[in-house]
Amino acid sequence: QGKGQGDEPEPEPEPAPADLAATAGAPRPAATWVAASPLPVDGGGSLLILQNPGGSPGQGQVILLSEDGVVGTPIPVTVAPGSTTTLDLADEAGMQPLAAVVRLSTGRTVVAQVTIGPDGYAVSMAIPVEPSSTLEELGI
């Protein structure tokens, strides 16, 4: 005996992860990212990692943010095609926890922050945002 339509309920689709950056990695390269600091409040060394999986250079700037607002001036950055660039945030603004906004005018990247210490490491994957977003629209 054949089954008629609707005899068996369709299985529920798997829910999308709430935080793709933390559970599944970056969904795709993007031009603009916000990377939260993985550091504890008392600070430490942190690296901003920018990877360009594409075939053309990524060029733009990095804006560093502390709890008091923008730190210093935007840092120009170029990421060659198929390569990774690392920016030492301790060299840029001391050992304080910093968020970073990466804005590229050309190309696309994938961004993360990492800290490595004597007790282990922590990674904070960045979240892609609309390139036209202002800091105020991002809640910063």
Side-chain angles (χ1 to χ4, degrees), residues 28-94:
R28 68 191 179 303
T32 306
W33 295 87
V34 175
S37 174
L39 288 173
V41 175
D42 57 352
S46 185
L47 302 172
L48 183 68
I49 312 295
L50 299 98
Q51 181 186 27
N52 180 352
S56 61
Q59 294 182 314
Q61 62 183 6
V62 175
I63 301 166
L64 300 178
L65 306 167
S66 73
E67 62 183 29
D68 298 322
V70 175
V71 175
T73 58
I75 302 161
V77 64
T78 299
V79 187
S83 70
T84 301
T85 295
T86 304
L87 181 64
D88 187 337
L89 299 185
D91 285 350
E92 297 298 330

